[in-house]
Amino acid sequence: MSGIKNLNLKGHLLTAISYLIPIVCEAGFLIAIGMGFGGNGGADLTQPFTFWDSLAKMGALALGLLPAVISTGISASIAGKPGVAPGFIIGLTANAIGAGFIGGILGGFLAGYLVVAIIKHLKVPNWARGLMPTLIVPFFTSIIGGLIMVYIIGIPIAAFTSLLTNALNSLGTSSLLVFGGVVGLLSGVDFGGPINKTVFAFVLTMQAEGINGPITALQLVNTATPIGFGLAYFIAKMFRKNIYTRSEIETLKSAVPMGVINIVEGVIPIVMNDIVRCVTAVAIGGAAGGATTMVLGADATVPFGGVLMLPTMSQPWTGAVAILVNVLVTGLALALLKKKVKEDEEVEIEEDDIDLDDIKII
């Protein structure tokens, strides 16, 4: 057990996912905007094409290389620069043989630890030591790791992925409700942290196999959560209850717009002031939103973008309803669970507090 802990498998995976997420974000925005305006992610850019075709195609190309990206990130996290080239090559190999995202993850660990082993055990003459990190180590690692991926790892991974895909495709309504609720709950409880990233890796694997529901649930929860925090303010006001301090209100002014484009981290400063109640409310809302997403069949074809994901769905209204349910449940739960702030922290501004010198004309 201690040996596995020393390998730091989770740490390397989370590091790689932190590299992956910006690529997913930018590619997701590109393909979402492009497809939203009629672009085609499969367009041939050597033939006549539109501006929106070019955006959608760029996003699609980047998303198609995610197994190579995750493999490179893991390998580089383990072995540093010598792990970059073999990680990339083995990741591309995993993609080519249909091992997908799971193959990319395993290929990254394979490449990284092979590099470490070769550096440790391969002895070369003094004149060749300068070639070790750029030529000798990547060359041997790529050959050995690539062949292992093709002839050993690839077949069972492809079989497992196919089995998992068929199992998820055969889920009934009640099972979808539970599965979506679990995905939504786990997606929201740590606001883009390790749990969210781990779930993201899993659902991204499913999307690579053509199952778009799970990743849609995760991303719609991320989108709805900050908006739910904003709605909670108004619901609480209906009960004559102030649940946010002045500084938290200022935070909401940026956090809610960030949420619209699927950036959930903006609410973290508010959560940190009342962790238990905020996490509980978000878990309830996320479970409701995730379940709604799966049951209605919301199926965004891009893994990021917030409301920009809606045009990429076969039925955009399903995503809109899922967001609405999530926002309403999160907002109501927060309004009921959070305590009223102290008298000196209330957010209402008295007339005497207004300084005309602070008013600026924009």
Side-chain angles (χ1 to χ4, degrees):
M1 189 72 178
S2 61
I4 294 176
K5 185 176 181 181
N6 291 335
L7 290 177
N8 193 22
L9 302 179
K10 179 182 176 182
H12 295 310
L13 177 61
L14 292 180
T15 298
I17 291 175
S18 71
Y19 297 151
L20 180 80
I21 287 176
I23 297 174
V24 172
C25 294
E26 304 318 315
F29 274 128
L30 285 171
I31 194 171
I33 294 172
M35 293 180 67
F37 287 92
N40 178 13
D44 184 353
L45 300 187
T46 64
Q47 303 295 325
F49 61 90
T50 68
F51 173 75
W52 306 115
D53 286 337
S54 66
L55 292 187
K57 181 67 173 182
M58 285 189 286
L61 289 172
L63 293 178
L65 289 177
L66 291 185
V69 174
I70 194 74
S71 179
T72 306
I74 292 172
S75 182
S77 177
I78 295 170
K81 288 183 180 179
V84 172
F88 183 70
I89 292 171
I90 295 173
L92 286 177
T93 305
N95 209 20
I97 65 174
F101 199 72
I102 296 176
I105 292 173
L106 294 180
F109 285 113
L110 174 63
Y113 290 120
L114 271 176
V115 168
V116 172
I118 291 173
I119 290 175
K120 182 177 180 180
H121 298 290
L122 181 62
K123 305 302 179 182
V124 297
N126 290 337
W127 61 265
R129 288 181 179 175
L131 299 176
M132 284 284 285
T134 57
L135 176 61
I136 297 174
V137 172
F139 176 72
F140 283 106
T141 303
S142 298
I143 290 179
I144 298 170
L147 292 177
I148 291 174
M149 178 61 68
V150 172
Y151 291 104
I152 301 177
I153 295 180
I155 296 173
I157 290 176
F160 171 75
T161 302
S162 177
L163 180 67
L164 187 59
T165 300
N166 292 334
L168 289 175
N169 281 328
S170 64
L171 290 178
T173 301
S174 58
S175 298
L176 285 173
L177 189 72
V178 174
F179 180 66
V182 171
V183 170
L185 186 153
L186 294 176
S187 300
V189 292
D190 68 344
F191 307 90
I195 297 176
N196 185 284
K197 288 182 172 65
T198 302
V199 177
F200 176 78
F202 171 73
V203 296
L204 194 60
T205 298
M206 293 298 93
Q207 186 174 53
E209 302 305 317
I211 301 177
N212 295 321
I215 200 164
T216 304
L218 180 146
Q219 299 297 1
L220 293 186
V221 169
N222 287 345
T223 300
T225 295
I227 303 174
F229 272 68
L231 179 64
Y233 169 78
F234 296 101
I235 294 177
K237 281 296 184 183
M238 294 172 58
F239 297 110
R240 300 183 181 278
K241 180 182 179 183
N242 292 318
I243 61 174
Y244 296 125
T245 65
R246 286 187 177 92
S247 63
E248 288 174 339
I249 288 293
E250 292 302 314
T251 299
L252 280 176
K253 290 178 182 178
S254 59
V256 172
M258 288 167 65
V260 172
I261 58 172
N262 205 348
I263 300 174
V264 71
E265 288 82 357
V267 297
I268 289 178
I270 298 175
V271 174
M272 296 306 295
N273 292 334
D274 193 358
I275 294 177
V276 174
R277 292 181 181 83
C278 286
V279 169
T280 301
V282 170
I284 296 170
T292 303
T293 301
M294 294 296 294
V295 170
L296 294 181
D299 57 350
T301 57
V302 299
F304 193 82
V307 297
L308 295 176
M309 296 167 63
L310 299 182
T312 74
M313 299 179 188
S314 57
Q315 299 183 85
W317 68 268
T318 58
V321 170
I323 291 175
L324 180 61
V325 169
N326 199 332
V327 168
L328 288 173
V329 174
T330 301
L332 184 59
L334 276 170
L336 293 175
L337 291 175
K338 280 182 68 64
K339 290 184 176 180
K340 184 177 179 180
V341 297
K342 296 178 181 178
E343 188 79 18
D344 59 351
E345 294 179 321
E346 288 186 355
V347 297
E348 294 179 356
I349 302 175
E350 303 293 338
E351 289 185 6
D352 293 341
D353 293 334
I354 300 176
D355 187 346
L356 295 178
D357 292 335
D358 293 334
I359 300 177
K360 299 178 182 179
I361 299 176
I362 299 178

